[in-house]
Amino acid sequence: MSQHVYKKVELVGSSTKGADDAIRNAIKRASATLKHLDWFEVVETRGHIQDGEVAHYQVTLRVGFRLVD
């Protein structure tokens, strides 16, 4: 069994559609520059309210990627 080393970065994704979409947006954008993404964990969920309605969802997540030789 091989031993892996990971680095964690913190991202904030946003969306007008929902928290799930905000997570997907953050991961999709990060995967354009970071390789070997393996996992994520949601740290915080918040949003922006405008005129009594939810205008934006913001999700803070930690993403782990494997360091390779």
Side-chain angles (χ1 to χ4, degrees), residues 40-54:
F40 74 92
E41 63 180 311
V42 173
V43 178
E44 180 181 30
T45 303
R46 63 179 176 271
H48 174 239
I49 300 169
Q50 188 172 16
D51 298 325
E53 301 284 332
V54 176

Side-chain angles (χ1 to χ4, degrees), residues 11-51:
L11 307 170
V12 178
S14 65
S15 172
T16 57
K17 296 178 184 176
D20 188 61
D21 196 50
I23 292 167
R24 292 176 190 280
N25 288 341
I27 291 172
K28 184 174 183 175
R29 176 59 184 89
S31 69
T33 56
L34 299 173
K35 303 303 176 203
H36 309 291
L37 296 177
D38 279 347
W39 54 266
F40 74 92
E41 63 180 311
V42 173
V43 178
E44 180 181 30
T45 303
R46 63 179 176 271
H48 174 239
I49 300 169
Q50 188 172 16
D51 298 325

